[in-house]
Amino acid sequence: MRNIIGIKEMSKKEIIEILDTAKKLDCMNENKRRKLMDGKIITSIFFEPSTRTRLSFTSAAYKLGCHVLGFDNPNMSSVVKGESLRDTIIMVSAYSDVIVMRHYIDGAAKFAEEVTSLPIINAGDGANEHPSQTLLDLYTIREELGNIENKKIAFIGDLKYGRTVHSLSNALKMFNGEFYFIAPESIQIPNHILKELDKAKIKYHLLDDYKNILKDIDCLYMTRIQRERFDNINEYEKVKHAFRISKKDIEGKCNENMIIMHPLPRVDEINIDLDNAKYAKYFIQAKNGVPIRMAMLSLASGIIKSNAKKKKTDYQIIENKNIVCQNKKCVTHFEETKNKAIKKDYGNFCYYCNKEIK
Ligand code: NCD
């Protein structure tokens, strides 16, 4: 394992290996653990706001004995002088051993992988993927529900722009779950995700309310309506309060073992009166980011050797100058990329941002 760009590129064995490594590292003697990556340098470059992801990567790095450099405010870097992402990545590669990057552009991580030989970890690229969040989500499901197989999960909120949901549903389809996508029509789950689920023969339901399915589900995965990703603010205004759950909506109405998760930050979609309810696992979930990111850093850097089988590619990559991604937020419109697409039997998809190319 070297680069961790998207869940779509990982095998189930690689995912399980990260979860198991996280558990081991979490239980390891602190002094021994601090020697694992002693003196290695992690560069953390964040072009988009973050609290949990950045701080837990940093905490994970310190616990492994690494030094951390980087920026969390691109306005204080040469990006404001007009430096390209390509050049930024090339430069950062000269100063460190592993790069952790969050970017607001879809496909930025896949592009970065092409311009550096250092291990690169995607800490979220636009509305595309967020693999480290998914791994900590899976870790939480396993810790709290005993295993990940055959779970019934309801995703609620901004399913169009929510990269955590995109990555998590891509992962959970390897564990034979059943999904409920609950959102207003304008922010429902993108078609390219549904096509992947169809291909994997996963059962799913598209709904606009959660009330009737509360008794059936194992996990309610709540998400924030992501104001910053809407092109039209009026569209955001229409859906911003689509779902707000509180104790009275949940207690006595759900399966008693159900858990509530949320990648956080929350705005008003989960009332604080639920925080002390036995169902609420979102703060534990965020805490699980530290062991998961320790595992990611040590496996990506090769300090811990990966033995897991890689994913078999079931697609072909095509390259020609007529391939143009229609997603205006895709990295292909901002950097000098190649004209590449992934050809599958149910359509062609952008190599960088995964959106369907018509
Ligand atoms: C999420 C993200 O950045 O995609 N947050 C996180 O990393 N924990 C979700 C969000 O911002 O709503």
Side-chain angles (χ1 to χ4, degrees), residues 52-53 102 130 133 163-164 224 226 263-265:
R52 276 149 291 273
T53 305
R102 167 171 286 192
H130 195 348
Q133 179 68 43
R163 55 194 173 195
T164 64
R224 171 178 74 92
Q226 306 199 356
L264 302 175

Side-chain angles (χ1 to χ4, degrees), residues 46 48-54 102 123-126 129-130 132-133 136-137 158 161-165 221 223-226 228-229 262-267 269 285-286 293:
F46 276 63
E48 226 187 20
S50 170
T51 299
R52 276 149 291 273
T53 305
R54 191 176 66 81
R102 167 171 286 192
D125 62 321
E129 279 244 28
H130 195 348
S132 66
Q133 179 68 43
L136 75 88
D137 292 345
D158 187 346
Y161 299 112
R163 55 194 173 195
T164 64
V165 172
Y221 192 95
T223 64
R224 171 178 74 92
I225 311 288
Q226 306 199 356
E228 71 277 19
R229 303 222 190 271
H262 190 310
L264 302 175
R266 72 173 149 193
V267 183
E269 58 279 5
Q285 181 187 352
R293 287 166 175 136

